[in-house]
Amino acid sequence: MEKFSDVLTKEQILAATEEVLRRFGIAKTSVIDVANVLNVSHGTIYRHFKSKAELLEGATKKWLDEKIIEPLTDVCHNTTLDGPEHLKTYIRTLIELKQHYACEDEELFKMYAKVTDEATDLIHKHISEVTDQICEIITRGGIKSEDPLQLAHAIFHATTRFHHPAHAYEWRSPMIHNEFLDVWALIEKGNLYENPR
Amino acid sequence: MEKFSDVLTKEQILAATEEVLRRFGIAKTSVIDVANVLNVSHGTIYRHFKSKAELLEGATKKWLDEKIIEPLTDVCHNTTLDGPEHLKTYIRTLIELKQHYACEDEELFKMYAKVTDEATDLIHKHISEVTDQICEIITRGGIKSEDPLQLAHAIFHATTRFHHPAHAYEWRSPMIHNEFLDVWALIEKGNLYENPR
């Protein structure tokens, strides 16, 4: 019966978890369902993941790495872009990816939203990867700043409404893209003291 | 038995609803509990509010008006403040009020978070009141802008993480105040093109 149990990898278990999540949703997904897909006992799964919560975290990490971090890394390392324009492309890509998957991969996006709400270390690590890349773009693009990592965090926080999963309900608005452009204009060259905007 | 039914006002029903919500929480609050507090039948409540959802919306509106809009209106009309400093004080007050009530009036804050998530007209109206006041401060303070209302929305959106109830879980961080100051610096005199920050 346990035909894969000896060679079963974490990667295979997570791929099966994704499949089950897309089919049944978070609430109805159980460790037993995942075991059934792989044709192993649930004990085999528990040898790799201590609980359903840990399994969901593993699946969220895989999903964030593949769907969000990989394409963002390409933008970060794109040498045809530079300075504020590079930064804007990076943030716009982050926003477009989140908004795309909120519609197109609804069940896995909901899982990510749930894990975010529980403020796990995994999410803190994901955010650090993004802010480190923003920092890299700031430094490489010669954007002047006394503290590039602090500026990276401020830019990430100021654009929260457009990429944090708790705001997915606002992304259906036809105004959302223009609202981002207005916030970006404020970040890019906002000055409440002098310049007319 | 129905001693108040003839003279019962919406205001009295909403005050009783607040009392019941603070005692039992949203999930366990029923129209019958509210009726019991007022010593009337639940039919009397239904004459004023068609459903529990409508009762919760009414209580949320009262709570937002009293706890958030009233003190913000005082800041908006404070003639000792002016320009960007006035704007910062207004946004800081908005943030402090939300963060205060998230801790100190937990059950009613949760109700407000729930109603926000359902994106009702009531919340859109509440946001308009805030952005109209921000716009008033921009115009009165001589902050240059081609479109003061658009700038008001951009400032409101860029500070979302610090006042939107979905982020209450992040407000417990000891960094939250400094993170707001960094975002404010970006809004106030951010310039990714030239000035060192």
Side-chain angles (χ1 to χ4, degrees):
Chain A
M1 184 191 166
E2 300 221 353
K3 66 178 177 186
F4 295 124
S5 63
D6 292 337
V7 290
L8 199 65
T9 63
K10 278 198 162 192
E11 191 60 29
Q12 285 170 306
I13 296 173
L14 294 175
T17 306
E18 272 197 25
E19 191 186 324
V20 173
L21 281 164
R22 287 205 182 91
R23 210 187 302 159
F24 299 139
I26 312 169
K28 288 183 182 166
T29 289
S30 72
V31 173
I32 292 173
D33 295 324
V34 176
N36 287 344
V37 164
L38 292 164
N39 201 20
V40 298
S41 76
H42 62 279
T44 307
I45 308 291
Y46 282 120
R47 240 171 279 153
H48 293 272
F49 297 94
K50 274 182 275 180
S51 60
K52 178 179 168 182
E54 215 175 83
L55 194 60
L56 289 185
E57 277 200 26
T60 305
K61 186 181 177 337
K62 179 176 184 298
W63 187 84
L64 283 172
D65 286 349
E66 287 173 5
K67 305 292 185 187
I68 310 293
I69 297 297
E70 275 183 29
L72 282 180
T73 303
D74 290 343
V75 176
C76 180
H77 295 157
N78 184 335
T79 53
T80 69
L81 291 165
D82 196 35
E85 203 49 41
H86 192 185
L87 204 49
K88 184 180 179 180
T89 304
Y90 183 90
I91 299 288
R92 231 195 42 227
T93 305
L94 169 66
I95 289 170
E96 284 170 1
L97 288 167
K98 294 280 179 83
Q99 297 187 358
H100 172 78
Y101 289 116
C103 295
E104 299 302 319
D105 200 4
E106 218 178 322
E107 286 307 327
L108 290 217
F109 189 85
K110 272 189 209 157
M111 173 193 67
Y112 152 58
K114 183 177 142 62
V115 169
T116 298
D117 213 33
E118 290 157 5
T120 61
D121 286 351
L122 152 71
I123 297 297
H124 292 141
K125 199 172 156 288
H126 169 68
I127 293 172
S128 289
E129 286 174 320
V130 174
T131 48
D132 284 352
Q133 291 189 337
I134 297 173
C135 184
E136 193 180 324
I137 294 170
I138 290 167
T139 310
R140 188 149 52 82
I143 294 167
K144 283 181 190 152
S145 168
E146 282 169 24
D147 186 336
L149 190 57
Q150 186 180 325
L151 177 59
H153 280 117
I155 291 170
F156 184 79
H157 291 151
T159 52
T160 292
R161 179 170 183 259
F162 307 101
H163 53 69
H164 190 290
H167 297 277
Y169 77 96
E170 295 178 277
W171 301 342
R172 279 165 283 172
S173 158
M175 313 280 282
I176 196 76
H177 182 64
N178 283 336
E179 287 169 352
F180 164 67
L181 294 178
D182 291 341
V183 166
W184 190 260
L186 195 59
I187 290 173
E188 201 174 58
K189 36 193 172 198
N191 189 332
L192 302 181
Y193 282 99
E194 282 177 56
N195 304 330
R197 291 180 61 249
Chain B
M1 183 192 168
E2 300 224 355
K3 67 180 176 183
F4 296 123
S5 64
D6 292 339
V7 289
L8 199 64
T9 63
K10 279 198 163 193
E11 191 61 27
Q12 286 170 307
I13 295 173
L14 292 176
T17 306
E18 273 198 24
E19 191 186 322
V20 173
L21 281 164
R22 287 205 181 92
R23 210 186 303 159
F24 300 139
I26 310 169
K28 289 183 182 165
T29 289
S30 72
V31 173
I32 292 173
D33 294 324
V34 176
N36 287 345
V37 163
L38 292 164
N39 201 19
V40 299
S41 77
H42 62 278
T44 306
I45 308 291
Y46 283 121
R47 240 170 279 153
H48 293 271
F49 297 94
K50 273 182 273 179
S51 60
K52 178 178 167 182
E54 213 174 87
L55 194 59
L56 288 185
E57 278 202 26
T60 305
K61 186 182 178 335
K62 178 176 185 298
W63 187 84
L64 284 172
D65 286 348
E66 288 173 4
K67 306 290 186 186
I68 310 294
I69 296 298
E70 274 182 30
L72 282 179
T73 304
D74 290 343
V75 176
C76 180
H77 295 157
N78 184 336
T79 52
T80 69
L81 291 165
D82 197 34
E85 203 49 42
H86 191 185
L87 204 49
K88 184 180 180 181
T89 304
Y90 183 89
I91 299 289
R92 232 193 42 227
T93 305
L94 169 66
I95 289 170
E96 283 169 1
L97 288 167
K98 294 280 179 83
Q99 298 188 357
H100 171 79
Y101 288 116
C103 295
E104 300 301 320
D105 200 4
E106 219 178 322
E107 287 307 328
L108 290 217
F109 189 85
K110 273 189 208 157
M111 172 194 67
Y112 153 58
K114 183 177 143 62
V115 169
T116 298
D117 213 34
E118 290 156 4
T120 60
D121 287 349
L122 152 69
I123 297 297
H124 293 142
K125 199 173 156 286
H126 168 68
I127 293 172
S128 289
E129 285 174 320
V130 174
T131 47
D132 284 352
Q133 290 189 338
I134 297 173
C135 184
E136 194 180 323
I137 293 170
I138 291 168
T139 311
R140 189 149 51 81
I143 294 167
K144 282 180 189 154
S145 167
E146 282 169 25
D147 186 337
L149 191 57
Q150 187 180 324
L151 177 58
H153 279 116
I155 291 170
F156 184 79
H157 290 151
T159 52
T160 293
R161 180 170 183 259
F162 307 100
H163 53 68
H164 189 290
H167 296 278
Y169 77 97
E170 296 179 276
W171 301 342
R172 279 165 283 171
S173 158
M175 312 281 282
I176 197 75
H177 182 63
N178 284 335
E179 287 169 352
F180 164 67
L181 293 179
D182 291 342
V183 166
W184 190 260
L186 196 59
I187 291 173
E188 201 174 58
K189 35 194 171 198
N191 189 332
L192 302 181
Y193 283 99
E194 281 178 56
N195 302 331
R197 291 180 59 250

